[in-house]
Amino acid sequence: MLLSAGFRLMLKLALWLCGLALLVVLGFVVLDLCYPLPTPGRNSPYATLVVAREGTPLRAFPDRHYVWRYPIGMEQVAPEYVAALIHYEDRCFWWHPGVNPISLLRAFWQWKANGRVVSGGSTISMQVARMLTPVPRTLRGKGQQIFRALQLELHYSKREILELYLNYAPMGGVLEGVEAASRAYLGKPALRLTPAEAALLAVLPQAPSLLRPDRFPQRARVARDKVIQRMGRVWSAEVIKDALVEPVAVLNIQDPLLAPLYAQRVKHMRPGLLRINGTIDAAIQSNVEMLLSHLANTLPERVSLAAMVMDNPSLEVVAYAGSADFLDSRRFNHVDMIRAKRSPGSTLKPFLYAMALDEGLIHSESLLSDTPQSFDGYQPGNFQEKFSGAVSVSEALVRSLNVPAVEVLDNYGPERFVAHLRQGGLKLDLPRGAAANLSIILGGVAVTLENLVGAYSSLARGGIAGQPRLLSDEPMRERRMMSEGAAFIVRDILESGGPVGRAVGIRGSTRGIAYKTGTSFGFRDAWALGVSEQYTVGVWVGRPDGTPNPGFFGANVAAPLLISIFNALPTDAKLNTRRQPESVSQRSICWPQGTVAPSEGELSNVALCPIRRTAWVLNNIVPPTFVERRSSKPSPVLTYHVDRQSKQRVMPDCSDKPYETFEVARWPDSLVPWLSPTLLKQHVPPQWSARCAALYHTGGSIRIVGASSGEWIQRTPSKAVPSIRLRAQGAQSHIHWIVNGRLVAKTGPLASYVIQLAESGRYDITALDEKGRFDRISLMVRGD
């Protein structure tokens, strides 16, 4: 009975204890529900770190209390730090339930015995609880801290709790977390900490204000050595010896500021994230920013620069500099010119020639006219205000000539050009209420540097353009801009001038860089866009407020910066495997007709093929030269007869003497004044014989070719004086040239006359021969 009574008593006690434990558990659950554990980061919703692809901090955005925190995981911290932290702070961390009763009793006994705190009894879990919910250092506060620590153990794993400590531990000043402290004090990631550095950062949260190594290095060293000496069971004697002699060498705390405008942009793209892993390559970004800063120091105030570098295979942006210097407010430092809409100048020309190649309108050596021309009232001029006469597509593209580009666009169609650009992913903004017109090819539209970089990548990606990716988790957005063959031809022209360019040394690049420059009207924007096999680079120089920057244009300010950036980029030899597409071949063609030249062994009339050129052709299509709009005789061949004895021009029905028949290729009228004497002699038939002249040459008239009446010529603010080359077609004698009522020159019947248009205003030009026949045109020259 006594045993039975004792058993019943023990049973009642056990039941009572179980009930008490159940009540405690239920009470804890109720308290946990009533007082939920704060979500880590709730008190710092705006704290964000943007890092480069290899983990280098680019820019840290503090929380509302201006606290800097670099979120990391366990795998991003040196094992030496984790070992020092746990061994010094909480050796029983891996097995206690959040509270270590032995440590609490020891701390309480020492406090009672000494009247002050000798050692803390807080576990790592309790310290994390205080970081998430600050409490006063009282018995009540300690109780709240214990409760929160138990909550942490209930909701998080040990690894997750340790990671919270790694990210939220106070490290002095505005720094929180081991990564922020390691970057700020030591200039390195926490993954590369030495044992001595690990011990220093492990002890720092004990008294972050008193142990700051940048302010109190000696005090910090004493505390660090205390940690090192306690690591005897973890580290070898040699490691401890080396750690104790290592000096405390720290840096002045500076906020990371690499690719600041990029970081600001991706932060808005991923709101709420504490850590954003970017695509920027820190080394490339540093070099680009250094190059921009160096150039900016040589430019006037208020002039800014922007540059973007994109990796072609992945479309990831590896360098993003939206302004010249983020710390220089004089240069509109906070304005991101990579996203600004500006006039592209001549940077759209490669796409026009590529699309014309795909359409079969041109080949690389198609004959174009670089002469003063009017396109239904639109009169483009060249940047240097000079004209070259007969040029090929390759020459026109390499030298960025305006009139030939407008001629090609006039044949291709501006509406169609804009539609194809947009289909290829290049966003264009036309002036409000305006329709696509010929001025687009000279910059009469708005684009962004970012969109241009994506479009230019098509030249190195087989004709497929890609949208630059700012984050690695963004999808690949690709669109076909041109065929693979057209991309190959245009890139070859920009890189080496094409087949003819290589022969005469127009341009060459040992690094395989194909680039194009552009300058908007009034020197407001200077551009340079280029591609290699691995990268696409874009550069912009100008004033963000849109005011002119006279004397600075793409070739003299943007292109050198572009080349410097390419020279600073690492290269991968595996990517330099460019091949010629099967759709591309070389053919020998004739000028002025533009068609295939006869083979070397084939009998041919030299007059029908006075100039041979080697051209890139696409899909074996060799289109003829464009028919000139103003020509009254569009036939490409002129046939005439010459008396063998008198060498005069005749016709079969007005001559009873033997004659020869000649066929010559007809040059466009606008190019006749630019022909060499030899070509001009072939092009122009001899004078009529007296007998045939009465029937076929009634005296007729002469006609000025080289310009048409009503054209406008624009003068730009440069030292070059615009000029035009004219010739009197049909002249049989010397020509007197009269400008604004004053005789200015006398030329032979086949000679051309160059008029310098030194002043703005109207020019009335008259060509008068010795028989009284004349022609007159009127031109207008616009001022600066």
Side-chain angles (χ1 to χ4, degrees), residues 665-685:
R666 189 191 296 276
W667 289 81
D669 287 347
S670 60
L671 291 177
V672 172
W674 303 81
L675 298 180
S676 67
T678 301
L679 290 175
L680 191 62
K681 187 175 182 180
Q682 293 178 353
H683 177 79
V684 179

Side-chain angles (χ1 to χ4, degrees), residues 493-753:
I493 292 172
L494 290 174
E495 183 177 323
S496 62
V500 175
R502 282 191 294 275
V504 300
I506 290 179
R507 177 179 291 175
S509 173
T510 57
R511 287 180 56 85
I513 303 169
Y515 71 92
K516 179 73 182 71
T517 62
T519 307
S520 67
F521 180 76
F523 298 98
R524 289 174 171 81
D525 308 276
W527 302 85
L529 281 298
V531 299
S532 65
E533 200 68 21
Q534 186 170 356
Y535 301 103
T536 300
V537 179
V539 169
W540 173 90
V541 182
R543 299 178 188 262
D545 60 4
T547 56
N549 195 29
F552 293 90
F553 45 92
N556 74 350
V557 65
L561 176 59
L562 180 91
I563 298 302
S564 297
I565 291 175
F566 268 114
N567 289 335
L569 292 174
T571 56
D572 186 350
K574 297 179 181 178
L575 293 177
N576 295 323
T577 56
R578 195 183 348 164
R579 63 177 183 83
Q580 180 177 323
E582 295 181 359
S583 59
V584 176
S585 59
Q586 287 189 356
R587 301 292 294 272
S588 179
I589 61 96
C590 287
W591 270 13
Q593 292 173 299
T595 51
V596 178
S599 63
E600 294 294 337
E602 183 180 346
L603 295 177
S604 62
N605 186 346
V606 176
L608 290 176
C609 189
I611 296 178
R612 287 175 175 258
R613 298 176 77 97
T614 301
W616 287 123
V617 299
L618 189 61
N619 300 320
N620 291 318
I621 298 175
V622 186
T625 300
F626 292 140
V627 176
E628 192 172 36
R629 300 174 313 284
R630 297 176 303 183
S631 176
S632 59
K633 300 176 181 179
S635 173
V637 176
L638 170 65
T639 302
Y640 62 90
H641 312 283
V642 176
D643 185 285
R644 291 183 177 179
Q645 183 176 0
S646 67
K647 303 300 181 183
Q648 292 180 326
R649 185 177 180 181
V650 295
M651 292 292 286
D653 58 352
C654 63
S655 175
D656 53 3
K657 297 181 179 179
Y659 59 85
E660 296 177 295
T661 301
F662 293 90
E663 288 186 330
V664 298
R666 189 191 296 276
W667 289 81
D669 287 347
S670 60
L671 291 177
V672 172
W674 303 81
L675 298 180
S676 67
T678 301
L679 290 175
L680 191 62
K681 187 175 182 180
Q682 293 178 353
H683 177 79
V684 179
Q687 294 184 5
W688 288 95
S689 67
R691 182 177 179 183
C692 292
L695 295 175
Y696 292 97
H697 186 58
T698 59
S701 62
I702 61 175
R703 183 165 65 94
I704 296 177
V705 293
S708 59
S709 190
E711 290 188 6
W712 288 77
I713 297 175
Q714 178 68 48
R715 299 182 67 240
T716 57
S718 69
K719 297 180 180 179
V721 176
S723 62
I724 57 174
R725 184 183 296 268
L726 306 176
R727 179 180 174 273
Q729 187 168 295
Q732 301 291 323
S733 62
H734 286 85
I735 296 294
H736 300 270
W737 295 93
I738 303 170
V739 178
N740 291 339
R742 185 170 61 89
L743 180 65
V744 295
K746 180 180 179 181
T747 63
L750 299 182
S752 300
Y753 173 57

Side-chain angles (χ1 to χ4, degrees), residues 391-577:
V391 296
S392 68
V393 165
S394 298
E395 292 167 328
L397 179 55
V398 169
R399 295 167 58 189
S400 195
L401 301 176
N402 290 343
V403 178
V406 174
E407 182 180 3
V408 175
L409 182 59
D410 186 50
N411 283 272
Y412 188 83
E415 298 87 355
R416 189 178 180 194
F417 179 55
V418 169
H420 283 185
L421 286 176
R422 287 173 172 166
Q423 289 174 7
L426 183 56
K427 299 177 181 178
L428 303 174
D429 281 358
L430 296 170
R432 180 174 298 180
N437 55 57
L438 297 177
S439 69
I440 289 171
I441 197 60
L442 305 184
V445 70
V447 298
T448 67
L449 177 60
E450 180 177 355
N451 284 338
L452 280 176
V453 167
Y456 264 79
S457 69
S458 62
L459 297 178
R461 304 179 75 249
I464 299 176
Q467 179 177 317
R469 300 168 67 209
L470 301 176
L471 295 170
S472 57
D473 59 358
E474 285 189 299
M476 294 275 287
R477 295 186 175 91
E478 301 172 298
R479 293 185 181 181
R480 180 161 292 283
M481 179 71 75
M482 62 193 73
S483 70
E484 182 183 12
F488 175 88
I489 293 173
V490 171
R491 180 178 172 186
D492 181 73
I493 292 172
L494 290 174
E495 183 177 323
S496 62
V500 175
R502 282 191 294 275
V504 300
I506 290 179
R507 177 179 291 175
S509 173
T510 57
R511 287 180 56 85
I513 303 169
Y515 71 92
K516 179 73 182 71
T517 62
T519 307
S520 67
F521 180 76
F523 298 98
R524 289 174 171 81
D525 308 276
W527 302 85
L529 281 298
V531 299
S532 65
E533 200 68 21
Q534 186 170 356
Y535 301 103
T536 300
V537 179
V539 169
W540 173 90
V541 182
R543 299 178 188 262
D545 60 4
T547 56
N549 195 29
F552 293 90
F553 45 92
N556 74 350
V557 65
L561 176 59
L562 180 91
I563 298 302
S564 297
I565 291 175
F566 268 114
N567 289 335
L569 292 174
T571 56
D572 186 350
K574 297 179 181 178
L575 293 177
N576 295 323
T577 56

Side-chain angles (χ1 to χ4, degrees), residues 167-191:
N167 284 284
Y168 287 89
M171 292 291 183
V174 298
L175 300 176
E176 284 189 0
V178 62
E179 182 73 4
S182 182
R183 295 281 184 178
Y185 293 129
L186 305 172
K188 62 169 63 175
L191 188 61

